[in-house]
């Protein structure tokens, strides 16, 4: 339904665009992965930060995905154009990158949970279509579950899920981006 802007951006293109933003932030290319033709290979070394910037600065940096759809620029659980699942260690979304940074720099479980929450608090998105917004919110919550399983080899607690769901429900919202209003208000911008 391209006429209604319902298009699915392939993961390799989301990666390319996120890499460009990170090249600007870090002042160098290939920070999180090395691009190949319509694919990528994740870097394996711990991410190093430029002078005057820290891993905490990166996690705190606010990012917005406009007209987010299923939020493929924020989290890359799967390639939206093919449905192929992307393993946790190979993910390329903005939030995925922040979670990688937290995992590389924080070993204490309680402190790690604090920084994971900060990472979620720093990403935003809006979407016109309610069904896509629901999928975006699910993708962020599932990303938390998958990273928890991968890092700690256990399921997240109900308390952690409720706290994250609250953050996600405020940070991803439904909006007509052209008019800056709730969709279907009947207003002409």
């Amino acid at each position: 339904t391209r006429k209604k802007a319902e298009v699915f951006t392939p993961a390799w293109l989301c990666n390319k665009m996120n890499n460009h933003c990170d090249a600007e932030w870090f002042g160098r290319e290939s920070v999180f992965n090395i691009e190949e033709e319509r694919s990528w290979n994740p870097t394996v070394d711990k991410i190093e930060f430029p002078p005057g910037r820290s891993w905490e600065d990166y996690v705190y940096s606010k990012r917005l995905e406009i007209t987010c759809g299923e939020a493929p620029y924020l989290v890359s659980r799967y390639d939206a154009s093919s449905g192929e699942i992307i393993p946790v260690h190979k993910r390329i979304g903005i939030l995925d990158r922040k979670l990688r940074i937290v995992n590389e720099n924080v070993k204490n479980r309680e402190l790690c949970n604090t920084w994971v929450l900060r990472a979620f608090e720093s990403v935003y998105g809006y979407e016109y279509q309610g069904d896509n917004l629901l999928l975006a919110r699910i993708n962020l919550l599932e990303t938390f579950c998958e990273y928890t399983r991968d890092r700690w080899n256990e399921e997240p607690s109900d308390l952690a899920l409720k706290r994250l769901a609250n953050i996600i429900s405020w940070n991803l919202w439904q909006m007509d981006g052209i008019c800056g209003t709730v969709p279907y208000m009947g207003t002409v911008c």
Side-chain angles (χ1 to χ4, degrees):
T1 62
R2 190 165 285 217
K3 291 178 185 176
K4 301 273 187 194
E6 289 284 316
V7 295
F8 297 97
T9 309
W12 67 267
L13 188 54
C14 293
N15 181 55
K16 183 178 277 299
M17 294 173 75
N18 283 345
N19 279 350
H20 177 74
C21 292
D22 279 332
E24 292 288 321
W25 199 91
F26 282 88
R28 68 180 190 276
E29 301 285 328
S30 304
V31 174
F32 289 91
N33 58 65
I34 305 198
E35 292 179 37
E36 296 179 352
E37 186 175 327
R38 297 186 180 223
S39 186
W40 63 91
N41 283 315
T43 56
V44 293
D45 294 333
K46 185 176 177 181
I47 305 298
E48 293 187 28
F49 290 84
R53 291 198 165 175
S54 68
W55 69 267
E56 295 96 331
D57 295 330
Y58 186 80
V59 173
Y60 274 131
S61 63
K62 297 191 180 345
R63 309 291 170 89
L64 168 68
E65 182 180 357
I66 62 171
T67 61
C68 68
E70 298 176 16
Y73 287 92
L74 295 179
V75 291
S76 60
R77 297 183 57 237
Y78 53 85
D79 186 329
S81 66
S82 69
E84 181 181 330
I85 299 296
I86 300 172
V88 170
H89 76 279
K90 197 173 178 183
R91 294 188 180 173
I92 51 82
I94 293 165
L95 181 58
D96 296 313
R97 293 166 189 233
K98 289 176 179 244
L99 295 175
R100 175 181 171 176
I101 294 297
V102 170
N103 282 338
E104 288 179 352
N105 289 282
V106 183
K107 303 305 176 206
N108 173 284
R109 176 79 182 257
E110 189 175 325
L111 191 56
C112 184
N113 290 340
T114 298
W115 280 99
V116 165
L117 288 175
R118 289 178 181 161
F120 274 86
E121 289 169 344
S122 71
V123 296
Y124 304 88
Y126 66 83
E127 169 58 32
Y128 188 89
Q129 303 288 344
D131 56 345
N132 288 340
L133 176 62
L134 175 62
L135 290 171
R137 288 174 169 175
I138 289 169
N139 282 332
L140 265 71
L141 192 63
E142 276 299 317
T143 291
F144 172 71
C145 294
E146 291 163 347
Y147 273 88
T148 301
R149 285 183 211 114
D150 187 67
R151 173 82 192 263
W152 306 109
N153 200 27
E154 64 184 45
E155 295 297 320
S157 69
D158 288 345
L159 180 63
L161 288 172
K162 287 177 184 176
R163 194 164 179 195
L164 248 301
N166 185 53
I167 292 167
I168 292 167
S169 68
W170 282 101
N171 287 15
L172 271 71
W173 67 92
Q174 190 172 16
M175 181 174 86
D176 178 334
I178 295 172
C179 295
T181 62
V182 174
Y184 313 110
M185 291 291 294
T187 59
V188 177
C189 334

